[in-house]
Amino acid sequence: MSSEVKDERTVEDSPPPREGGDRAQYGVCVFLALLGTAVIVDALGIPHITSGTDPVGPRAVPLMLGGLLVLLAALYAVDVARGGRGEPEGGEDVDLTSGSDWRTVLLLIAVFVANALLIERLGWVISGALLFWGTAFALGNRHYFRNLLIAVTLSLTTFYAFAIGLGVNLPAGVLQGIL
Amino acid sequence: MTDNLNNLMQGFADVMAPLNLLLALVGVVIGTAVGVLPGIGPAMTVALLLPVTYGMEPVQAFIMFAGIFYGGMYGGSTTSILLNTPGESSSVVTAIEGNKMAKAGRAAQALATAAIGSFVAGTIGTLLLVLITPFVVDFAVSLGAPDYFALMLLAFIAVTSVLGSSRVRGFISLLLGLTIGLVGIDSVSGQQRLTLGIPQLADGIDVVVVAVGIFAVGEALWVAAHLRRKPAEVIPVGRPWMGRKDWKRSWKPWLRGTAFGFPFGALPAGGAEIPTFLSYATEKRLTKHPEEFGKGAIEGVAGPEAANNASAAGTLVPMLAIGLPTNATAAVMLAAFQSYGIQPGPLLFEREASLVWVLIASLFVGNLLLLLLNLPLAPAWAKLLQIPRPYLYAGILFFASMGAYAVNAQPLDLFLLLTLGLLGFAMRRFGLPVLPLIVGVILGPRAELQGRRSLQLSGGELSGLVGGPVSYSVYAVIVLVLLWPLVHRFVVSPLRARNAAA
């Protein structure tokens, strides 16, 4: 029954099928094949230790998984060649009729990486506020000052509520001793 | 039986302590508030709110969790009624009639039948959970390693083959999850696998980081690439209420929906998609108002919504008794248990009896609180739907980063979170289902352990994997599920064609 059931929610949102199918899916095949190979190579580097209590050893499962990944990459390629395509996921805020907005995605990634790099040095209050402000900016909100106010309030509240109130691990960073 | 009753009563007594009751209330409120937000389904609600409970004692954490669980479920249905285009597959059916009702000016009745139906189904479902789980535990205690291995294989096959539209894509997602689960030190031999020489990876990738990365960061990136510039239209709503006629048309669908939902949730091949569809089809056939279907029939909201909630209660049976998650929310709940060092399964009821019964008691209490809260608060929830999208997704990334960092207090987790978010993005782009990956990450290491344990008993002979009638029957089911398309093509379809001809 699985192959006939179509996911209703994506049907009306999906773009019209492009000519020649969805070629980008071959990229996924290549990724899976590479991943499978990497898993096999990694497994071959593990010493083959077996014992009475563990006749299988640590290598068997990764070798099997790697092999299956390569096999699935091939099966997927066959499916794509026969015109198979996965429906992109719809949602409340998703508009699939226009193309992907890569600029926004890259900006978001940059903001996210900045937070990861700065969180220990500057502390959660500053880096978290930057994360919120930057994300809102990337998604097109231009109320710079208002957003800064919201961002700082949010990061201060979470820091006091979670780090100081509930004992969750959040770094104070440069504001150590001030907060 | 009386033992369990006593335990349950003790559980109620614990929940009724003022502080715990407050936590249950807070759980229900934030669960609903976060669940209502567009783009956030119940699984993501639970994953995002998990860190909130890190500093608490397990009992308190689980009281709050029960509230978040049902709150997140209920929030999702509000979104699908008032906004159409639901965020998660279990609410798809509710949206069909619910949104039509809302557009026809009957939003108050649609929300009311969803809220009361959820309460009825949730209460019956939790009651069934109390009655059935002890039997499943008795059964599970007798299972050996080969049986567990077979059951986990069945769960893998079920989430990839029964749900979703493409088996190849389901299996790809599962394999990705199993590969992520492989990272870390092998628990049997102590060897490092796929750690790339990074010491922080020796403990493996935390399931919370995986869930938050795939659900929250993946969703935020995906929406960012396709943000609808014109916000979707929210239908304004007053306080939900139902007239006598609506009650008369709703109560049977509630009960029928519950009857569909619970068993499907409890099966390893469960999930809410199939029972909600079945419930919708049944109500459409049985209704006295067939002309209203497709234009906003209340039965079409009452039945599926009850099925959805009953199936959520049903998923807790295999999750608690065997340690098998059958939907994404249960998978994240399982991760929550593990983060407290508690392993769900038959022994859970012996070792952590008080904790389990507190959890079950808080499910009852949370359900009631939800009903009391949601009828008056519905207009406020509807306002939440209008939150500017940049703030919504900025908030999601903010809390996702905070939660992922808080797990181990290491920035590396934030880079892992981003990598997994990009994976989640790609999976949404290529239509790969997310559930098999999460199930693979959680069950993969345990399946390997049980498999190796089975082979240990047989000295490495593959025959060790088949141990007794349970594993035989499970393998038979697996073969049937795998061969189902062939069976369908060569047996069912010809038979049907012959019957039609005759």
Side-chain angles (χ1 to χ4, degrees), chain B residues 17-305:
Chain B
L19 177 70
N20 290 348
L21 209 55
L22 184 71
L23 282 173
L25 190 68
V26 172
V28 167
V29 173
I30 57 176
T32 316
V34 176
V36 162
L37 294 172
I40 306 188
M44 186 158 140
T45 307
V46 179
L48 273 178
L49 293 175
L50 194 55
V52 175
T53 61
Y54 280 167
M56 296 181 190
E57 292 293 312
V59 172
Q60 267 92 44
F62 281 101
I63 289 175
M64 201 159 152
F65 246 76
I68 293 172
F69 180 63
Y70 275 141
M73 299 272 313
Y74 179 77
S77 63
T78 306
T79 320
S80 56
I81 288 171
L82 297 181
L83 259 187
N84 204 7
T85 50
E88 65 270 8
S89 46
S90 53
S91 301
V92 169
V93 183
T94 308
I96 303 176
E97 298 297 323
N99 191 250
K100 295 267 163 51
M101 278 183 78
K103 279 194 178 133
R106 283 171 42 84
Q109 286 76 11
L111 286 179
T113 199
I116 303 169
S118 297
F119 170 74
V120 171
T123 305
I124 299 177
T126 315
L127 216 56
L128 289 173
L129 170 76
V130 172
L131 293 177
I132 288 173
T133 312
F135 293 104
V136 182
V137 168
D138 285 345
F139 164 75
V141 169
S142 68
L143 298 179
D147 306 315
Y148 273 108
F149 182 70
L151 274 173
M152 287 174 191
L153 280 189
L154 176 62
F156 291 153
I157 301 296
V159 292
T160 51
S161 299
V162 179
L163 312 170
S165 53
S166 158
R167 286 179 175 220
V168 178
R169 289 167 181 79
F171 273 110
I172 289 171
S173 169
L174 175 71
L175 282 178
L176 289 173
L178 292 173
T179 308
I180 295 172
L182 211 54
V183 176
I185 288 179
D186 171 34
S187 60
V188 184
S189 65
Q191 294 298 315
Q192 300 217 0
R193 296 192 296 194
L194 291 176
T195 55
L196 312 172
I198 302 170
Q200 290 99 320
L201 284 182
D203 292 334
I205 300 174
D206 199 281
V207 179
V208 176
V209 176
V210 178
V212 173
I214 298 282
F215 287 120
V217 181
E219 178 78 10
L221 292 174
W222 176 241
V223 172
H226 300 277
L227 190 60
R228 209 188 283 279
R229 289 300 162 187
K230 209 170 55 190
E233 213 173 299
V234 180
I235 298 161
V237 65
R239 190 187 161 127
W241 62 276
M242 290 203 296
R244 178 197 277 255
K245 205 170 138 240
D246 297 318
W247 279 94
K248 229 174 130 187
R249 289 176 60 178
S250 289
W251 71 271
K252 279 186 201 158
W254 289 338
L255 296 182
R256 280 194 290 261
T258 309
F260 277 122
F262 188 83
F264 270 97
L267 285 174
E273 287 88 349
I274 298 170
T276 48
F277 271 106
L278 282 179
S279 162
Y280 182 75
T282 309
E283 297 314 328
K284 202 171 170 179
R285 202 176 312 138
L286 294 177
T287 181
K288 291 191 185 109
H289 308 268
E291 74 287 352
E292 281 187 26
F293 265 80
K295 292 180 196 135
I298 196 163
E299 294 93 339
V301 183
E305 205 37 43

Side-chain angles (χ1 to χ4, degrees), chain A residues 93-110 135-142, chain B residues 219-229 390 422 425 429:
Chain A
D93 295 332
V94 174
D95 174 15
L96 291 171
T97 48
S98 52
S100 302
D101 179 359
W102 293 111
R103 194 180 149 267
T104 307
V105 176
L106 287 177
L107 257 174
L108 273 194
I109 294 173
T135 310
F137 173 82
L139 290 170
N141 192 308
R142 292 292 176 267
Chain B
E219 178 78 10
L221 292 174
W222 176 241
V223 172
H226 300 277
L227 190 60
R228 209 188 283 279
R229 289 300 162 187
L422 290 171
F425 176 91
R429 157 68 180 82

Side-chain angles (χ1 to χ4, degrees), chain A residues 50-57, chain B residues 188 452-457:
Chain A
T50 54
S51 62
T53 54
D54 179 27
V56 181
Chain B
V188 184
R452 278 161 80 172
R453 214 173 267 168
S454 317
L455 291 175
Q456 173 195 333
L457 301 174

